[in-house]
Amino acid sequence: MPTAILADDERLMRDQLRMRLGQVWPDLDIVGEAKNGDEAISLVDELKPDFTFLDIRMPGKTGMEAAAAIGNKSHVVFVTAYDAYAVEAFERGAVDYVLKPPEQERLKITAERLKDRLARPAGDVNASVTAMLSQLAEKIATPKPKYLQWIQASIGQDLRMIPVEEILFFRSDEKYTCVQTEKFEALIRKPVRDLAEELDPSLFWQIHRATLVNVNAIEGVTRDIRGRHLVMIKGRPDKLEVSRSFLHLFKQM
């Protein structure tokens, strides 16, 4: 059975990649996961996987630096959010690429390419990495956003990767957090208190211990007969209660 490790500092992205790979290549055994380039190098030495999926930008050693260290110990697949001109640089030798977020159809192509390479020794990627670094140095130097860019949520039996800018608000109960977009509602298990630390505070305001709202979705604030302040959401009937401790957010509105 072929083996692989996944290296990405975003757990949601590792989960998504693992799920999609399982769909297109059930026989591929994901034997380990790493949060940075240093962990990836150690896992390759320890587990000797056939394939290593490397995010380009990670804390510590980048995916590029990790690939150079891995050399010919494993077939390397880069995971990238870069645009089309950068993608062309990855199509060389034994190195393949996967665009974020990973799409099932693209991973089918990757799986076929990797199956074809199983019978061949892994190529040393140092030469490819050197060429890529010269093209992508400026992009790689750009600081990686520290806030969540996607939310992985359940809709029935399906998992969705939802860009955070499409989310109108989050609202928690005792077990789940509702993720509301213009088109659908989804559920996650992460509480609002954790989301508040991981989302960009300039985009999402916490207005209640159980509620986060996208500032671009706010139509206005009203008061009910009980004197409570309620946030109105553009194009929706929802009215979200504002706790007194968060009223200061709306003083300039």
Side-chain angles (χ1 to χ4, degrees), residues 5-9 14 32-47 52 54 58-61 66 70:
I5 66 169
L6 312 179
D8 195 305
D9 60 320
R14 296 197 306 271
E33 296 186 11
K35 300 186 295 293
N36 54 59
D38 296 297
E39 288 185 7
I41 294 167
S42 296
L43 281 179
V44 169
D45 288 338
E46 176 187 350
L47 302 175
T52 300
L54 288 172
M58 293 184 289
K61 282 187 171 60
I70 290 168

Side-chain angles (χ1 to χ4, degrees), residues 75-145:
H75 294 283
V76 171
V77 179
F78 285 117
V79 182
T80 173
Y82 296 144
D83 55 18
Y85 100 86
V87 164
E88 293 176 4
F90 295 116
E91 292 197 289
R92 59 176 75 227
V95 180
D96 200 2
Y97 70 91
V98 175
L99 283 175
K100 289 185 178 184
E103 296 292 340
Q104 188 171 3
E105 290 305 312
R106 180 61 181 84
L107 283 174
K108 286 181 181 178
I109 296 172
T110 295
E112 292 306 313
R113 290 180 179 177
L114 298 188
K115 289 175 186 177
D116 183 58
R117 290 172 187 165
L118 274 175
R120 312 179 200 170
D124 192 328
V125 298
N126 281 286
S128 294
V129 168
T130 301
M132 290 179 204
L133 282 173
S134 64
Q135 283 191 312
L136 302 177
E138 184 175 343
K139 285 182 177 284
I140 294 169
T142 303
K144 186 174 183 177

